[in-house]
Amino acid sequence: MRLLFTSNDPGSAQQNNAVANLLNLHNAYDTACITSKVSSKFYSSLFKEKLYLDHDKRHHKNKIKDYINYFKPDFVFLGISPSKKSLDYIASEIAIDLNIRTASIQDYYGWTGSFNEEVKPDYFFVFDEYAKKLTVDSSICSSQKVIVTGSPKHY
């Protein structure tokens, strides 16, 4: 299975890297990441494929789309960012267009960033039941799409 991880900010990078490290124990996954240069230091060497983008510059949708088409992920772990111009939001739009399933791992209770009813991951992975309630209360997804997993970077 091919897994792509995106992160515009360090919090998402830490969560994504923790999940990738856990999944790497099974040797059944090819992993790649699209990340800001600021967040790149939080990704381990297990990512054989990486695309680095400037954190403070507008990301070109075509560059991200070309990378996704090149890597051909089966699933995308999206970071959560406050801007619709972030690489996470853009990657989510592209994944929706390409019918690729997605999830985001929350780093803060109830935080859904710039995601909305139209552009959002298929699933949110959250710390606990309180985080689930806050996320469901944001009204962008149903409770079935919010899964309590704990915090991977704290395992």
Side-chain angles (χ1 to χ4, degrees):
M1 180 176 229
R2 298 177 68 75
L3 303 175
L4 178 64
F5 295 81
T6 75
S7 58
N8 200 66
D9 63 82
S12 292
Q14 291 172 343
Q15 293 288 21
N16 287 346
N17 189 63
V19 168
N21 281 325
L22 290 169
L23 293 173
N24 192 46
L25 298 174
H26 299 286
N27 294 323
Y29 303 97
D30 292 323
T31 57
C33 67
I34 302 173
T35 185
S36 66
K37 289 181 182 174
V38 170
S39 298
S40 65
K41 65 183 175 183
F42 295 100
Y43 281 98
S44 68
S45 61
L46 70 94
F47 290 89
K48 294 178 179 80
E49 307 267 351
K50 298 177 184 177
L51 174 63
Y52 299 123
L53 300 170
D54 289 326
H55 181 72
D56 58 347
K57 294 184 180 174
R58 187 166 186 221
H59 302 299
H60 298 282
K61 191 171 188 173
N62 288 339
K63 192 172 192 178
I64 296 169
K65 187 174 186 173
D66 288 347
Y67 189 81
I68 290 172
N69 284 325
Y70 158 76
F71 184 68
K72 297 186 184 339
D74 299 301
F75 193 87
V76 180
F77 285 89
L78 300 163
I80 302 176
S81 300
S83 171
K84 290 182 179 180
K85 294 179 182 176
S86 75
L87 65 97
D88 302 314
Y89 190 89
I90 293 168
S92 181
E93 289 178 311
I94 294 165
I96 290 167
D97 289 345
L98 297 175
N99 293 316
I100 302 170
R101 292 283 182 209
T102 59
S104 287
I105 305 164
Q106 274 185 1
D107 200 39
Y108 304 105
Y109 283 84
W111 175 243
T112 58
S114 58
F115 292 127
N116 53 58
E117 288 183 24
E118 290 80 37
V119 178
K120 63 185 174 202
D122 294 300
Y123 302 96
F124 282 96
F125 299 148
V126 302
F127 293 164
D128 57 23
E129 290 296 329
Y130 180 63
K132 181 174 181 168
K133 179 192 177 320
L134 291 173
T135 304
V136 171
D137 287 352
S138 73
S139 299
I140 67 168
C141 61
S142 68
S143 64
Q144 293 84 6
K145 300 288 185 171
V146 182
I147 301 166
V148 175
T149 60
S151 174
K153 71 181 180 184
H154 294 107
Y155 291 157

